């Protein structure tokens, strides 16, 4: 059971006419409501309290006709490598050395966090050195960024005859994974396979370390069934927020016109409690690691 508390509202009353250019607007005035996850009650215990919370409006929001999102802001503290995909890259990758009868393998784990290219290549190269130290028949492997262009280069030494080395994105058990460090640096298949003579591999694609590119503010109370996806599954998405700020920088989305970011109700709605959460496209809660979700709503009322 959730505990609720009253939220102090910052309110600006905007008087409007019910008629404008012959169109019935269907409301008499509006209020701006500022909401902060820092001051609200967590919807559940855990690390996402400030991005998954419930607000009790009391009797402040009665006879609501429409709700429009004015702005949404949060510090972009979302990691780009985590242990629980699917929206972000996996932290696991595996080196396998196959002699035709036996496969020796080691699965390595990145520490969860936001990785730039230098840090990621340093960890990949450290794993390659460790694997070569453990298995002498494995080749040396060095990942680097060339001076010209952004495509990653894998410089691979001689592999002992009869052996094949595979480097792949994996899960914690070494099984292939669809997204991880290898695909993130541009090797789109998520694996590198080599045997025999020394060779140089150029990643076919540019690295992708941006992490999340968009987030969704979800509210079952304010936007039930407001959105549906390509599978025709409905969800309570209040607004989509593009993530344009770098890691550690405040990300702000402002809606310039009410009609572009509004939820309209067929009949006036009394809103006493409302849930808010920040989620990825798969519906998973986004962990901002202590950062706070803030949003401003413009609430349009049916009567004064």
């Amino acid at each position: 059971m959730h505990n609720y508390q009253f939220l102090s509202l910052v309110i600006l009353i905007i008087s409007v006419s019910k008629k404008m250019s012959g169109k019935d607007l269907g409301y008499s005035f509006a209020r701006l409501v500022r909401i902060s996850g820092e001051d609200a009650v967590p919807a559940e215990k855990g690390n996402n309290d400030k991005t998954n919370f419930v607000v009790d409006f009391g009797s402040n929001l009665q006879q609501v006709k429409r709700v429009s999102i004015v702005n949404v802001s949060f510090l972009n503290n979302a990691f780009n490598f985590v242990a629980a995909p699917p929206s972000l890259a996996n932290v696991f990758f595996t080196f396998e050395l196959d002699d035709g009868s036996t496969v020796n393998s080691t699965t390595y784990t990145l520490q969860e966090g936001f990785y730039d290219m230098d840090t990621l290549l340093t960890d990949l190269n450290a794993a390659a050195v460790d694997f070569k130290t453990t298995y002498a028949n494995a080749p040396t492997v060095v990942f680097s960024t060339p001076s010209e262009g952004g495509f990653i280069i894998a410089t691979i030494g001689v592999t002992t005859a009869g052996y094949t080395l595979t480097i792949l994105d994996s899960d914690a058990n070494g099984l292939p994974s669809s997204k991880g460090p290898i695909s993130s640096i541009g090797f789109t298949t998520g694996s590198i396979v080599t045997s025999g003579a020394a060779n140089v591999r150029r990643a076919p694609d540019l690295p992708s370390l941006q992490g999340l590119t968009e987030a969704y503010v979800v509210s079952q109370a304010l936007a039930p069934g407001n959105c549906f996806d390509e599978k025709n599954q409905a969800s309570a998405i209040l607004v989509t927020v593009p993530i344009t700020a770098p890691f550690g920088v405040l990300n702000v989305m402002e809606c310039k016109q009410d009609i572009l970011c509004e939820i309209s109700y067929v009949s006036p709605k009394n809103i006493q409690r409302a849930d808010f959460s920040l989620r990825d496209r798969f519906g998973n809660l986004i962990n901002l690691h202590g950062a706070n979700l803030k949003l401003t709503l413009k609430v349009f009322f049916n009567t004064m």
Side-chain angles (χ1 to χ4, degrees):
M1 176 177 292
H2 302 311
N3 293 316
Y4 301 98
Q5 68 181 28
F6 283 95
L7 181 75
S8 58
L9 304 179
V10 180
I11 299 172
L12 172 64
I13 297 179
I14 309 169
S15 296
V16 299
S17 170
K18 281 193 174 183
K19 292 284 186 179
M20 183 177 292
S21 300
K23 181 180 180 181
D24 187 353
L25 296 178
Y27 59 88
S28 297
F29 72 105
R31 285 179 173 177
L32 290 182
V33 182
R34 294 179 183 173
I35 299 170
S36 171
E38 190 172 28
D39 300 323
V41 176
E44 60 185 57
K45 295 185 180 299
N47 295 325
N48 299 303
D49 291 349
K50 296 179 182 179
T51 57
N52 183 27
F53 52 87
V54 176
V55 172
D56 192 326
F57 295 107
S59 60
N60 288 287
L61 303 184
Q62 303 292 307
Q63 294 292 298
V64 174
K65 188 66 175 177
R66 294 190 296 142
V67 174
S68 177
I69 296 85
V70 178
N71 57 57
V72 178
S73 65
F74 52 85
L75 196 65
N76 181 19
N77 279 350
F79 293 163
N80 56 356
F81 284 88
V82 297
S87 57
L88 299 170
N90 205 337
V91 295
F92 306 107
F93 61 101
T94 297
F95 280 66
E96 295 180 348
L97 188 64
D98 185 357
D99 66 1
S101 60
T102 302
V103 178
N104 292 304
S105 65
T106 302
T107 297
Y108 297 91
T109 307
L110 298 175
Q111 182 177 352
E112 289 191 325
F114 191 92
Y115 284 74
D116 59 21
M117 186 53 60
D118 289 341
T119 305
L120 180 56
L121 294 186
T122 295
D123 283 9
L124 289 175
N125 286 331
V129 170
D130 176 78
F131 193 76
K132 170 65 176 175
T133 301
T134 304
Y135 301 102
N137 291 315
T140 58
V141 179
V142 178
F143 294 98
S144 62
T145 304
S147 57
E148 296 182 2
F151 293 91
I152 299 301
I153 298 295
T155 304
I156 303 172
V158 176
T159 305
T160 299
Y163 286 82
T164 299
L165 175 71
T166 302
I167 309 170
L168 69 152
D169 292 334
S170 71
D171 61 15
N173 299 314
L175 299 175
S177 172
S178 60
K179 189 175 182 181
I182 305 305
S183 56
S184 294
I185 62 175
F187 291 90
T188 50
T189 62
S191 65
I192 301 169
V193 181
T194 184
S195 60
N199 60 95
V200 175
R201 301 291 180 86
R202 178 181 181 272
D205 205 353
L206 288 168
S208 176
L209 299 182
Q210 183 177 356
L212 290 173
T213 57
E214 59 186 7
Y216 302 87
V217 179
V218 174
S219 175
Q220 294 287 344
L222 298 186
N226 183 54
C227 180
F228 64 90
D229 59 20
E230 67 279 0
K231 297 179 181 178
N232 206 30
Q233 295 179 334
S235 57
I237 294 175
L238 187 63
V239 67
T240 302
V241 182
I243 298 181
T244 57
F247 179 74
V249 176
L250 186 67
N251 192 86
V252 180
M253 187 281 290
E254 294 184 342
C255 193
K256 302 301 183 183
Q257 297 185 25
D258 293 334
I259 195 171
L260 299 177
C261 305
E262 73 176 17
I263 308 297
S264 298
Y265 305 114
V266 175
S267 58
K269 183 181 180 73
N270 295 333
I271 303 172
Q272 181 178 359
R273 297 185 181 99
D275 57 298
F276 298 92
S277 61
L278 192 66
R279 298 179 181 271
D280 63 20
R281 69 181 303 269
F282 299 99
N284 301 310
L285 286 170
I286 295 175
N287 192 342
L288 296 180
H289 302 93
N292 181 33
L293 171 64
K294 296 181 180 180
L295 60 156
T296 302
L297 305 178
K298 184 184 289 185
V299 182
F300 299 89
F301 296 86
N302 192 48
T303 60
M304 285 293 278

